[in-house]
């Protein structure tokens, strides 16, 4: 996994602003309609929270001493909202689909591998933290 490649790609994607979050949730709910009930009726705040969390995770991708506690906190809070380990693969699929969409021609097989690996690490930490709750 190349942290700088992730940071550079996320900068490209994040330039699309709230459209990124809207696309992500549209993809997630299309793939998994039952997940919609885990979220508030108005998604505006949730979309902003998603973008902020992604930006924080990416900014810390090469600083595990700060990243791990942040991600553990996310895992514990998500468990409180009813998120289970079974949700994580579907969220990851929608995240990768979103990143790919907004990357356009900049998307490569190496970049996809990096994102899948990074998401896998984050998901594992979140799941373990939720289990320790």
């Amino acid at each position: 996994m190349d942290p700088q490649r992730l940071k550079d790609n996320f900068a490209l994607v994040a330039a699309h602003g709230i459209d990124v979050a809207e696309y992500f949730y549209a993809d997630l709910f299309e793939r998994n309609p039952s997940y919609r009930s885990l979220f508030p009726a108005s998604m505006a705040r949730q979309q902003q929270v998603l973008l902020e969390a992604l930006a924080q995770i990416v900014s810390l991708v090469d600083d595990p001493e700060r990243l791990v506690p942040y991600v553990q906190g996310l895992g514990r809070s998500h468990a409180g909202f009813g998120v289970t380990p079974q949700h994580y693969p579907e969220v990851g699929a929608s995240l990768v689909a979103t990143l790919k969409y907004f990357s356009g021609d900049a998307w490569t097989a190496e970049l996809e591998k990096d994102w899948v690996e990074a998401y896998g690490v984050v998901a594992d930490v979140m799941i373990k933290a939720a289990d320790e709750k």
Side-chain angles (χ1 to χ4, degrees):
M1 176 176 45
D2 182 337
Q4 191 58 51
R5 189 164 42 217
L6 293 175
K7 288 179 179 193
D8 292 346
N9 179 249
F10 188 72
L12 172 72
V13 170
H16 294 276
I18 201 69
D19 291 347
V20 174
E22 290 174 352
Y23 186 97
F24 168 80
Y25 284 114
D27 186 82
L28 182 66
F29 299 151
E30 182 177 318
R31 293 173 191 248
N32 307 280
S34 66
Y35 288 17
R36 183 64 183 92
S37 66
L38 296 170
F39 294 90
S42 172
M43 291 293 292
R45 177 73 184 123
Q46 181 62 37
Q47 291 167 345
Q48 191 60 43
V49 167
L50 171 70
L51 293 176
E52 290 168 5
L54 289 173
Q56 182 71 2
I57 290 167
V58 172
S59 75
L60 297 173
V61 71
D62 51 2
D63 186 356
E65 289 184 15
R66 292 177 53 212
L67 176 62
V68 170
Y70 177 75
V71 173
Q72 287 171 328
L74 288 177
R76 288 187 288 271
S77 66
H78 279 72
F81 296 124
V83 175
T84 67
Q86 293 74 26
H87 292 114
Y88 284 86
E90 295 298 331
V91 169
S94 289
L95 178 61
V96 170
T98 301
L99 294 164
K100 181 177 182 177
Y101 178 82
F102 285 99
S103 295
D105 292 340
W107 191 255
T108 64
E110 293 83 14
L111 194 53
E112 183 166 351
K113 182 179 174 283
D114 285 348
W115 277 115
V116 168
E117 183 178 340
Y119 178 78
V121 170
V122 167
D124 286 346
V125 172
M126 289 178 71
I127 290 166
K128 287 177 183 161
D131 286 346
E132 295 168 357
K133 193 174 175 184

